[in-house]
Amino acid sequence: MKVNTMLHLFQNKIITIPMDCLLPSWWEVQVTVAAAFFVIAAYFFFTHTDHRSSSLHDVTPPPDHFKMAQQPKGDPNANSAYMIKVELLAAKNLIGANLNGTSDPYAIITCGSEKRFSSMVPGSRNPMWGEEFNFSVDELPVEINVTIYDWDIIWKSAVLGSVTIPIESEGQTGAVWYTLSSPSGQVCLHIRTQKLPVSSSRSLNGYAGANPRRRMSVDNQGPTVVHQKPGPLQTIFGLLPDEVVENSFSCALERSFLYHGRMYLSAWHICFHSNVFSKQIKVIIPLGDIDEIRRSQHAVINPAITIVLRMGAGGHGVPPLGSPDGRVRYMFASFWNRNHAIRTLERAAKNYHTMLEVEKKEKQQSELRASSSSLSKKHVKIPEESVPKKYQPFIQEDVLTGIYNDIFPTTAEQFYDLLLKDGSNFITEYRSSRKDTNLNMGQWHSADEYDGQVREITFRSLCNSPMCPPDTAMTEWQHLLLSDDKKNLVFETVQQAHDVPFGSYFEVHCRWSIETSGESSCSIDIKVGVHFKKWCVMQSKIKSGAINEYKKEVELMLQVARACINSTTPPNTNTDT
């Protein structure tokens, strides 16, 4: 009996022990539920905070902001432009946003679609800035908005107040205290508005932040389609598709502490991106705004690079560091190789300014060629027998490549009379065979800038590239020079496509050198090349495609030329003896 009782109790104990291990205790249930609520609340808090931060004027403007800032409002060719200089002098009686009753104020100055950042003054309710911000607008009136924020290391910046000032005419306001839209606080501004001359350059008058010269040339040619995968400059910073990363560095932006991220370098911008504690930081520094790049030191063992911006440029993306001379600056540290990085940045800045000079000269040459090839301008010749005449080159010889060299059954003089002279049907028949439309051909005339004669023709040409539209408007400037003995003929052309991607970036230059080699024959040497007025990401493809296309054109051109010669009266009955 006792044995049976003990056996029954032992079996119940064996069953109870596994059940106790499988079922949690009430204390374990409470801890699990509390942990789950904590995880859900933390996820909701950080997600909601990031969403709100992206919808406010915080230190991280969305990509659309950068696109707007790079495409200035108004007609770039307008006859009037105004320069607005905003001097941010000081502020007083700001709200204390920190626990100790102070704030870390910085200002964002907005004019139209342009936005600039002032430096941040730590621990002050009465900051002193003394910084200048230059804005270029095409018309008045406009509004200047100044919003003051409190910088926070982790969370979004809190608004301390804002004010909007209308600018309706030229002149200056002097130092005026404006009341902020907050319980307390005022900001002192000095605003000066002046009209720029028609011929003045905005970049030289203190506005190069958005690089309007380059952006306008892109806008004028219509939408550009680039069949390539967007890079970080497009996905993170919202820059145009033609900007590619040339170099990148791992580094950190100096603030209250180091925000580690990555620096990206293109032909036009220095960009920095960081994401620390879910705080997005994006800095876009146009190379045209840089005044100085120098070595510096963040700590004894942490060499840094300081980028000083020119007066009036202001910060881009996050508040920069202030300087006694009024120029703002950004400091980057924690490079793997600081010396290599600074050499790369200095070389990029030098290449940028060299590119500007080249584009300036190229623009002058293009305007000169266009004005000389048009009959709308009357040429007044002034005799200068004592001074030798110097002529401008019509094409860029250094880009030419030989594509054809053979004998043709006419002399150089006959080639001119039958194919190129005014009244010849050669150009019309050739363009018709290519199915080009809207042909408008000018007359040959002399130009003071070039030896020989020039003319301009326009037409619409079919496009064979899948990246291009079905057809495009074309302008071709032609230059002709026949030697005095009429045995040598030089025929040069410059073609400009207007509707293709990057059409304003390049020109197709060609030279036909024709030399009489017999009584009814001549040698023809044809060279062609692509002259790039500015760098673009599709440069190699454009060059190879244009040269291959022109080779096909030469075959058709010579075929039409032979047909025109065979259909006319023999040249020896028409030429002068």
Side-chain angles (χ1 to χ4, degrees), residues 471-489:
D471 64 345
T472 177
M474 297 285 296
T475 300
E476 182 174 292
W477 295 279
Q478 297 182 347
H479 173 238
L480 181 70
L481 178 61
L482 183 63
S483 63
D484 294 336
D485 58 3
K486 298 184 179 181
K487 292 185 177 181
N488 291 279
L489 175 66

Side-chain angles (χ1 to χ4, degrees), residues 137-383:
V137 297
D138 293 312
E139 58 184 2
L140 297 178
V142 295
E143 290 185 344
I144 301 292
N145 178 269
V146 180
T147 304
I148 300 180
Y149 293 86
D150 172 66
W151 173 264
D152 194 282
I153 296 178
I154 300 178
W155 313 120
K156 66 182 182 68
S157 298
V159 178
L160 303 181
S162 65
V163 63
T164 301
I165 304 99
I167 307 297
E168 299 179 351
S169 61
E170 298 179 63
Q172 57 182 346
T173 62
V176 179
W177 287 94
Y178 297 92
T179 302
L180 301 176
S181 59
S182 57
S184 67
Q186 290 180 312
V187 61
C188 185
L189 303 173
H190 179 207
I191 303 175
R192 183 169 65 256
T193 305
Q194 62 183 17
K195 189 174 182 179
L196 298 177
V198 178
S199 59
S200 66
S201 172
R202 295 186 180 183
S203 61
L204 297 179
N205 285 276
Y207 176 75
N211 200 353
R213 168 202 51 74
R214 172 175 170 260
R215 302 303 173 185
M216 289 171 185
S217 64
V218 174
D219 294 340
N220 288 342
Q221 72 170 21
T224 298
V225 180
V226 180
H227 297 274
Q228 65 172 359
K229 184 178 179 181
L233 297 180
Q234 289 74 41
T235 57
I236 299 177
F237 304 98
L239 298 180
L240 295 180
D242 61 331
E243 292 206 41
V244 296
V245 177
E246 297 183 354
N247 286 281
S248 63
F249 307 98
S250 175
C251 61
L253 176 67
E254 195 275 335
R255 274 295 170 271
S256 305
F257 67 95
L258 293 178
Y259 289 88
H260 192 81
R262 195 157 194 85
M263 176 185 291
Y264 302 92
L265 177 63
S266 74
W268 292 279
H269 295 93
I270 298 175
C271 304
F272 175 81
H273 175 249
S274 173
N275 186 1
V276 179
F277 300 123
S278 298
K279 187 181 184 71
Q280 293 274 348
I281 291 181
K282 301 177 186 178
V283 179
I284 296 183
I285 305 176
L287 292 177
D289 281 352
I290 297 177
D291 196 16
E292 183 182 357
I293 300 176
R294 61 191 183 198
R295 291 174 172 82
S296 58
Q297 204 76 15
H298 174 261
V300 178
I301 59 174
N302 192 1
I305 297 175
T306 298
I307 300 176
V308 182
L309 306 186
R310 58 173 176 78
M311 183 70 71
H316 303 273
V318 297
L321 302 175
S323 299
D325 59 1
R327 298 182 303 171
V328 298
R329 54 193 172 90
Y330 287 98
M331 179 182 290
F332 299 95
S334 300
F335 289 91
W336 285 103
N337 189 334
R338 193 271 305 271
N339 293 334
H340 170 69
I342 195 170
R343 285 194 299 266
T344 304
L345 297 180
E346 291 173 344
R347 183 168 57 252
K350 182 179 179 181
N351 293 340
Y352 172 81
H353 292 289
T354 302
M355 179 180 64
L356 290 187
E357 292 297 326
V358 172
E359 291 183 8
K360 182 179 179 181
K361 294 180 181 178
E362 178 59 33
K363 182 179 179 182
Q364 293 175 351
Q365 293 181 0
S366 299
E367 292 176 352
L368 181 63
R369 186 188 303 117
S371 62
S372 301
S373 302
S374 175
L375 282 174
S376 60
K377 179 180 177 181
K378 294 183 179 180
H379 302 276
V380 180
K381 295 185 178 181
I382 301 176

Side-chain angles (χ1 to χ4, degrees), residues 407-412 414 515-523:
I407 302 299
F408 194 77
T410 61
T411 63
Q414 293 168 353
E515 182 179 0
T516 300
S517 58
E519 294 183 358
S520 60
S521 63
C522 65
S523 62

Side-chain angles (χ1 to χ4, degrees), residues 289-575:
D289 281 352
I290 297 177
D291 196 16
E292 183 182 357
I293 300 176
R294 61 191 183 198
R295 291 174 172 82
S296 58
Q297 204 76 15
H298 174 261
V300 178
I301 59 174
N302 192 1
I305 297 175
T306 298
I307 300 176
V308 182
L309 306 186
R310 58 173 176 78
M311 183 70 71
H316 303 273
V318 297
L321 302 175
S323 299
D325 59 1
R327 298 182 303 171
V328 298
R329 54 193 172 90
Y330 287 98
M331 179 182 290
F332 299 95
S334 300
F335 289 91
W336 285 103
N337 189 334
R338 193 271 305 271
N339 293 334
H340 170 69
I342 195 170
R343 285 194 299 266
T344 304
L345 297 180
E346 291 173 344
R347 183 168 57 252
K350 182 179 179 181
N351 293 340
Y352 172 81
H353 292 289
T354 302
M355 179 180 64
L356 290 187
E357 292 297 326
V358 172
E359 291 183 8
K360 182 179 179 181
K361 294 180 181 178
E362 178 59 33
K363 182 179 179 182
Q364 293 175 351
Q365 293 181 0
S366 299
E367 292 176 352
L368 181 63
R369 186 188 303 117
S371 62
S372 301
S373 302
S374 175
L375 282 174
S376 60
K377 179 180 177 181
K378 294 183 179 180
H379 302 276
V380 180
K381 295 185 178 181
I382 301 176
E384 298 180 355
E385 291 82 1
S386 60
V387 179
K389 189 71 173 179
K390 292 184 178 180
Y391 296 104
Q392 299 285 339
F394 194 79
I395 61 175
Q396 298 288 336
E397 297 186 13
D398 56 336
V399 302
L400 299 180
T401 302
I403 61 171
Y404 182 87
N405 192 312
D406 204 351
I407 302 299
F408 194 77
T410 61
T411 63
E413 182 182 6
Q414 293 168 353
F415 193 96
Y416 167 70
D417 290 336
L418 299 177
L419 303 179
L420 300 178
K421 195 173 182 179
D422 288 334
S424 172
N425 295 326
F426 167 66
I427 297 295
T428 303
E429 293 181 5
Y430 165 66
R431 291 298 167 190
S432 177
S433 64
R434 290 193 77 256
K435 299 182 180 180
D436 296 337
T437 58
N438 299 343
L439 177 63
N440 184 11
M441 186 160 48
Q443 300 293 314
W444 289 110
H445 63 279
S446 60
D448 294 338
E449 298 84 359
Y450 306 107
D451 193 11
Q453 295 180 312
V454 294
R455 71 177 177 184
E456 176 182 321
I457 67 174
T458 59
F459 54 92
R460 294 199 67 86
S461 177
L462 297 179
C463 298
N464 300 321
S465 174
M467 295 179 58
C468 299
D471 64 345
T472 177
M474 297 285 296
T475 300
E476 182 174 292
W477 295 279
Q478 297 182 347
H479 173 238
L480 181 70
L481 178 61
L482 183 63
S483 63
D484 294 336
D485 58 3
K486 298 184 179 181
K487 292 185 177 181
N488 291 279
L489 175 66
V490 176
F491 177 57
E492 298 174 331
T493 64
V494 175
Q495 290 184 349
Q496 173 77 66
H498 299 287
D499 301 327
V500 300
F502 304 107
S504 63
Y505 283 47
F506 68 94
E507 296 172 337
V508 179
H509 291 203
C510 182
R511 169 180 288 168
W512 291 50
S513 299
I514 304 167
E515 182 179 0
T516 300
S517 58
E519 294 183 358
S520 60
S521 63
C522 65
S523 62
I524 298 180
D525 181 69
I526 303 176
K527 296 181 179 180
V528 67
V530 180
H531 170 59
F532 287 90
K533 296 183 285 186
K534 59 190 79 172
W535 181 91
C536 69
V537 67
M538 308 292 292
Q539 186 164 316
S540 60
K541 293 184 178 180
I542 291 174
K543 182 178 179 180
S544 60
I547 293 178
N548 293 334
E549 183 67 21
Y550 200 86
K551 289 180 180 178
K552 299 177 182 177
E553 288 192 22
V554 167
E555 296 177 1
L556 179 59
M557 206 177 302
L558 294 176
Q559 179 182 348
V560 175
R562 291 187 179 93
C564 288
I565 292 174
N566 294 332
S567 64
T568 58
T569 307
N572 55 7
T573 63
N574 288 336
T575 56

